[in-house]
């Protein structure tokens, strides 16, 4: 027979082996993502649009601007528009835009807002003072003089591409919409289950339904969201449709984690509150919920992580367009516009073009966002937690 010591050593070996495999897999995944995507990570990658856009924009100016003192000798300033340009190998790039510059309110030929920003390439000028097509060898004096001679100008500009800024904005908007609806519903439902509902068939049915929902593949939620929110409610492929779909997907996680957080609050806390004359609502708001905040925040963290990492449910509800969800007429962010999330874009990059490098770079951004949210939530839970047990 195998001795007890041998059994203990074997069990310890299995425990250590399992831990080593888990850590090894985690390190391997992180190394793969960083080794393939780190070369793309830059400020431009985070702030640029995904695709470059060439637009003819109309600008009207009635001011005279003063050049900033920190411009270098290679940067040339237009007093008429409040912008500075610099020569590059391809042409001329806008390197400075005054806060009050009219180019920030430029309108394209489709009467849509198209603000000109730093990093855009200037390739043509049309105005009362003359027309000029700009090339790499065009004298910079001719460009500045043409810009300064007219108060009404049409500029041909090209925005830089290769960035993920639209996906970051869309992802954050999805998180906000999903949590705005899921957090109150999930937390209040959990409070009912723990504090008000009597054990019986109804409670068992609700818990069973919650467990079933948590096990349903996310693609089913996507199909449901497409049929209900996109088609029936006529919300279309939009951030709002995607956020509401994610809300349904997150409810089971939010409810179960909040339930466990409320159950972890000792019954003696409630009894002491009742003994001092507090009613049910006062006990919940002043004693139970403050003590359960760390556990509730865990549910929020898990929900945010799943929101960021979800792709199947969003393919049918927001689409795959790598653009800012901006209303064309007002130029402001809108929940009723389409877009795409970081994970959906990573999926599309691999599926359509096999661009592992771009997908890995997006993965790095997702890891950083999740890590930051976890860190912030921990700090919040430490600050607001009143539990001491």
């Amino acid at each position: 027979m195998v001795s007890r010591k041998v059994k203990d050593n074997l069990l310890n070996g299995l425990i250590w082996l399992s831990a080593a495999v888990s850590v090894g897999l985690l390190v391997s995944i992180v190394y793969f993502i960083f080794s393939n995507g780190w070369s793309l990570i830059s400020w431009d990658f985070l702030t640029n649009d995904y695709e470059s856009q060439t637009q003819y924009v109309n600008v009207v100016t009635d001011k005279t601007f003063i050049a900033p003192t920190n411009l270098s000798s290679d940067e040339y300033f237009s007093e008429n528009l409040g912008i500075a340009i610099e020569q590059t190998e391809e042409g001329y790039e806008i390197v400075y835009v005054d806060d009050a510059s009219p180019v920030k309110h430029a309108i394209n030929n489709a009467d849509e807002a198209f603000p000109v920003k730093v990093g855009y390439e200037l390739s043509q000028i049309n105005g009362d003072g003359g027309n000029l097509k700009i090339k790499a060898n065009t004298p910079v004096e001719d460009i500045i003089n043409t810009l300064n001679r007219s108060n009404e100008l049409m500029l041909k500009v090209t925005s830089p591409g290769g960035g993920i800024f639209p996906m970051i904005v869309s992802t954050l908007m999805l998180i906000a919409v999903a949590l705005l609806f899921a957090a109150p519903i999930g937390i209040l439902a959990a409070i009912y289950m723990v504090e008000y509902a009597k054990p019986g068939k109804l409670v068992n049915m609700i818990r069973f339904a919650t467990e079933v929902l948590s096990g349903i593949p996310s693609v089913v939620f996507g199909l449901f969201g497409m049929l209900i929110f996109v088609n029936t409610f006529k919300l279309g492929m939009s951030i709002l449709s995607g956020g509401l779909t994610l809300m349904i997907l997150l409810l089971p996680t939010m409810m179960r984690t909040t339930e466990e957080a409320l159950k972890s609050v000792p019954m003696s806390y409630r009894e002491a509150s009742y003994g001092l004359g507090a009613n049910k609502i006062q006990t919940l708001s002043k004693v139970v919920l403050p003590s359960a905040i760390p556990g509730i925040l865990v549910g929020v963290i898990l929900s945010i992580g799943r929101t960021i990492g979800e792709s199947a449910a969003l393919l049918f509800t927001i689409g795959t367009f790598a653009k800012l969800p901006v209303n064309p007429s007002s130029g402001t962010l809108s929940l009723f516009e389409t877009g795409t999330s970081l994970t959906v874009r990573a999926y599309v990059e691999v599926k359509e073009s096999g661009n592992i490098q771009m997908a890995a770079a997006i993965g790095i951004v997702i890891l950083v966002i999740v890590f930051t949210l976890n860190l912030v939530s921990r700090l919040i839970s430490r600050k607001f937690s009143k539990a001491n047990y």
Side-chain angles (χ1 to χ4, degrees), residues 335-346:
L335 296 177
F336 297 95
E337 296 296 324
T338 186
T340 193
S341 67
L342 289 167
T343 48
V344 172
R345 191 65 235 175

Side-chain angles (χ1 to χ4, degrees), residues 32 36 76 85 91 130 146 167 177 200 204 217 225 237 240 244 270 309 311 316-317 326 351 361 388:
F32 173 81
N36 284 278
Y76 298 87
I85 60 174
T146 305
M167 287 80 85
V177 172
N204 293 335
M237 301 280 279
L240 185 58
L244 291 174
R270 298 172 175 85
S311 58
F316 303 102
T317 52
V326 171
K351 179 179 179 293
N388 187 23

Side-chain angles (χ1 to χ4, degrees), residues 256-270:
R256 294 308 300 268
T257 53
T258 303
E259 270 193 78
E260 296 302 320
L262 294 172
K263 289 179 181 178
S264 67
V265 179
M267 188 58 66
S268 59
Y269 282 34
R270 298 172 175 85

Side-chain angles (χ1 to χ4, degrees), residues 229-251:
F229 302 122
V230 177
N231 296 331
T232 304
F233 291 167
K234 307 298 182 182
L235 296 177
M237 301 280 279
S238 63
I239 297 294
L240 185 58
S241 295
L244 291 174
T245 302
L246 289 177
M247 177 268 291
I248 300 174
L249 188 145
L250 297 180
L251 277 177

Side-chain angles (χ1 to χ4, degrees), residues 74-235:
D74 296 328
E75 298 171 347
Y76 298 87
F77 186 76
S78 166
E79 297 177 351
N80 198 33
L81 294 183
I83 64 173
I85 60 174
E86 184 179 21
Q87 188 173 20
T88 63
E89 294 181 358
E90 294 80 16
Y92 284 86
E93 178 183 331
I94 298 173
V95 294
Y96 170 80
V97 177
D98 190 276
D99 291 337
S101 173
V103 301
K104 288 192 170 184
H105 307 285
I107 304 295
N108 64 13
N109 288 340
D111 288 331
E112 298 174 347
F114 192 86
V116 178
K117 304 175 183 178
V118 171
Y120 283 28
E121 182 181 341
L122 182 63
S123 55
Q124 187 172 335
I125 306 170
N126 297 332
D128 296 336
N131 301 328
L132 181 64
K133 289 187 177 181
I134 301 173
K135 300 180 181 180
N137 58 353
T138 301
V140 69
E141 292 81 6
D142 293 348
I143 300 175
I144 297 298
N145 290 334
T146 305
L147 289 174
N148 289 339
R149 278 199 294 260
S150 300
N151 291 332
E152 295 185 7
L153 294 163
M154 177 182 286
L155 308 177
K156 182 181 180 182
V157 293
T158 302
S159 63
I164 61 170
F165 182 70
M167 287 80 85
I168 294 176
V169 173
S170 297
T171 300
L172 295 177
M173 291 176 69
L174 283 169
I175 293 172
V177 172
L179 290 182
L180 180 65
F181 290 95
I185 296 174
I187 292 173
L188 291 175
I191 290 174
Y192 169 79
M193 296 284 288
V194 176
E195 303 293 335
Y196 288 93
K198 296 180 180 180
K201 292 183 178 180
L202 178 61
V203 173
N204 293 335
M205 186 181 301
I206 295 175
R207 287 205 171 97
F208 176 75
T210 303
E211 292 173 358
V212 171
L213 280 174
S214 62
I216 293 178
S218 58
V219 67
V220 177
F221 288 97
L223 293 171
F224 176 83
M226 181 182 67
L227 292 173
I228 300 299
F229 302 122
V230 177
N231 296 331
T232 304
F233 291 167
K234 307 298 182 182
L235 296 177

Side-chain angles (χ1 to χ4, degrees), residues 309-323:
E310 191 54 58
S311 58
L314 298 175
L315 286 171
F316 303 102
T317 52
I318 66 170
T320 60
F321 296 100
K323 71 176 190 67

Side-chain angles (χ1 to χ4, degrees), residues 24-91:
L25 288 174
L26 177 61
V27 171
S28 299
I29 293 172
V30 173
Y31 174 77
F32 173 81
I33 293 174
F34 273 82
S35 62
N36 284 278
W38 184 254
S39 60
L40 287 181
I41 300 297
S42 66
W43 182 249
D44 291 337
F45 178 73
L46 298 176
T47 57
N48 285 350
D49 289 335
Y50 178 75
E51 295 179 351
S52 62
Q53 298 184 58
T54 299
Q55 296 274 354
Y56 286 91
V57 297
N58 299 299
V59 179
V60 178
T61 178
D62 57 358
K63 297 180 180 180
T64 300
F65 296 88
I66 300 175
T69 57
N70 58 350
L71 289 181
S72 68
S73 58
D74 296 328
E75 298 171 347
Y76 298 87
F77 186 76
S78 166
E79 297 177 351
N80 198 33
L81 294 183
I83 64 173
I85 60 174
E86 184 179 21
Q87 188 173 20
T88 63
E89 294 181 358
E90 294 80 16

